[in-house]
Amino acid sequence: MLLDEIARSVSGGQAVQTSRLVEQALADGLEPGSVLNDGLMAGLTVIGERFKRNDCYIPEVLLAAKAMHAGMSLLRPLLAGGGERLRDKIVLGTVESDIHDIGKNLVGMMLEGAGYRVIDLGVNVPAGRFLAALEEHAAPVLAMSALLSTTMPRLQATIAELEKAGVRERVKVLVGGAPVTREYAQRIGADGYAPEAASAVDLVLDLLAPAPTV
């Protein structure tokens, strides 16, 4: 099945093949939403699960994310033009005084590949700049990384800045980075912690899922 081929091309990191297959699927009349969810996303889910099990490594995940991007570049105009809802915006960055970006970049690529609109502020981002971006883009999620134990307090300082500005309740805060732990994330009041990029995508999906009706 064509959608299965698309999924395999994404999980295999074949960007050119992914573009060709997505073009074929659209030419055959498949709905863009189906191509995204049952093709591209299915492939990204496979590579994400493999990464969690240590069955593959960062270079393979990067290739899969690039393949996902190749397909999304064809689908995004159709999804927007057809009235189908793209996923929410996410503000992303490494905290102030920290210039590490490999993990952040991987998270950003996977989130974009999953259909989210990522506003990547880069590295060495002060709390005020995170806040300004959240307000400018009306983004419901802030994803921050700290790769040094000395910069971890910046995560808590940024959350405090959101509380001071009165926007904390409408923003889900996701944190990660080598020295960060789940316990630390809970202690500083973050909404979630992701140990690696694949988990970040799953976590954002959970955080933004509609609350169950009673």
Side-chain angles (χ1 to χ4, degrees), residues 8 10-13 43-57 60-61 64 110 196 198:
R8 285 193 294 271
V10 170
S11 62
L44 195 65
T45 298
V46 169
I47 198 72
E49 291 300 322
R50 288 185 59 206
F51 188 60
K52 290 179 193 176
R53 298 194 304 266
N54 295 317
D55 288 342
C56 67
Y57 301 97
E60 293 167 87
V61 178
M110 294 200 71
E196 84 292 298

Side-chain angles (χ1 to χ4, degrees), residues 60-79:
E60 293 167 87
V61 178
L62 286 171
L63 288 173
K66 288 179 180 179
M68 181 82 181
H69 273 281
M72 275 301 296
S73 67
L74 298 170
L75 288 182
R76 189 173 281 110
L78 299 175
L79 291 170

Side-chain angles (χ1 to χ4, degrees), residues 152 155-156 159 168 173-176 179-194 203:
M152 286 171 61
L155 298 170
Q156 186 172 13
I159 292 175
R168 177 66 183 92
V173 178
L174 165 64
V175 299
V180 182
T181 64
R182 190 176 307 278
E183 291 72 26
Y184 181 79
Q186 292 173 344
R187 190 161 69 247
I188 66 174
D191 295 292
Y193 157 77
L203 181 56

Side-chain angles (χ1 to χ4, degrees), residues 91-134:
V91 172
L92 173 71
T94 303
V95 296
E96 188 175 13
S97 300
D98 199 323
I99 60 172
H100 295 82
D101 66 355
I102 294 177
K104 172 191 70 66
N105 292 346
L106 182 55
V107 168
M109 288 181 69
M110 294 200 71
L111 287 170
E112 284 188 341
Y116 293 98
R117 290 166 285 177
V118 176
I119 297 92
D120 189 345
L121 302 182
V123 301
N124 190 28
V125 183
R129 192 167 168 225
F130 279 125
L131 176 60
L134 287 167

Side-chain angles (χ1 to χ4, degrees), residues 150-167:
T150 54
T151 59
M152 286 171 61
R154 303 287 186 181
L155 298 170
Q156 186 172 13
T158 302
I159 292 175
E161 191 74 17
L162 300 186
E163 292 172 346
K164 182 179 177 181
V167 302

